[in-house]
Amino acid sequence: NLDDERQRIKSFNGRIFTPKPPKNPNLSRVIVHSSIKKEDVGLAMSRSIGDYEWTLIGVTAEPIVYTIDLLGETFMREETKNFHIFVVSASDGVMDARTPEFIANQIGKRLYGSAEFPT
């Protein structure tokens, strides 16, 4: 459901199925005709590893990467000096099912004890 992802797929003449309301439009699928299965198949993401047929219509294995400066002034303030910092890399399946706060708190509790971890 990211506009630039949709545009990339369409620029390769790819097809995207988006459910009509009341169904969730976030459940869009990239559609390709599979030479292996001999039928149309829907992929729930526009980035995937290992499926050559999908690269022909713009699906790529290149990840979306966000960079946060952990040494910047936000993290160097006095009130943040006791924070534990960790990074979570997760698939869309995890991120669609849980909030970043939930994930941070679950992992943080297991790594560092019972503190709440801001996101």
Side-chain angles (χ1 to χ4, degrees):
N1 19 319
L2 298 175
D3 215 30
D4 55 335
E5 298 289 297
R6 182 178 299 277
Q7 293 306 318
R8 187 184 67 249
I9 299 299
K10 287 187 174 187
S11 75
F12 280 83
N13 295 317
R15 294 182 296 145
I16 299 171
F17 169 76
T18 303
K20 302 285 184 233
K23 294 189 177 186
N24 186 347
N26 291 332
L27 298 177
S28 297
R29 299 288 184 264
V30 178
I31 307 296
V32 70
H33 186 79
S34 171
S35 61
I36 296 168
K37 293 192 174 206
K38 307 288 188 231
E39 65 183 3
D40 285 350
V41 179
L43 183 66
M45 66 279 308
S46 59
R47 294 176 182 264
S48 180
I49 298 171
D51 292 313
Y52 176 74
E53 290 177 313
W54 298 94
T55 64
L56 299 174
I57 59 163
V59 173
T60 179
E62 185 178 326
I64 297 173
V65 177
Y66 298 101
T67 304
I68 300 170
D69 180 7
L70 296 179
L71 299 176
E73 64 181 71
T74 301
F75 289 97
M76 298 306 287
R77 294 187 318 229
E78 189 64 36
E79 64 268 21
T80 62
K81 286 188 178 177
N82 292 326
F83 280 21
H84 296 291
I85 298 173
F86 55 91
V87 175
V88 175
S89 177
S91 70
D92 62 332
V94 172
M95 299 308 288
D96 288 347
R98 299 293 184 186
T99 65
E101 293 81 8
F102 178 87
I103 294 167
N105 281 308
Q106 292 300 307
I107 293 172
K109 286 175 187 175
R110 280 155 185 80
L111 289 174
Y112 302 111
S114 63
E116 290 295 310
F117 293 87
T119 55

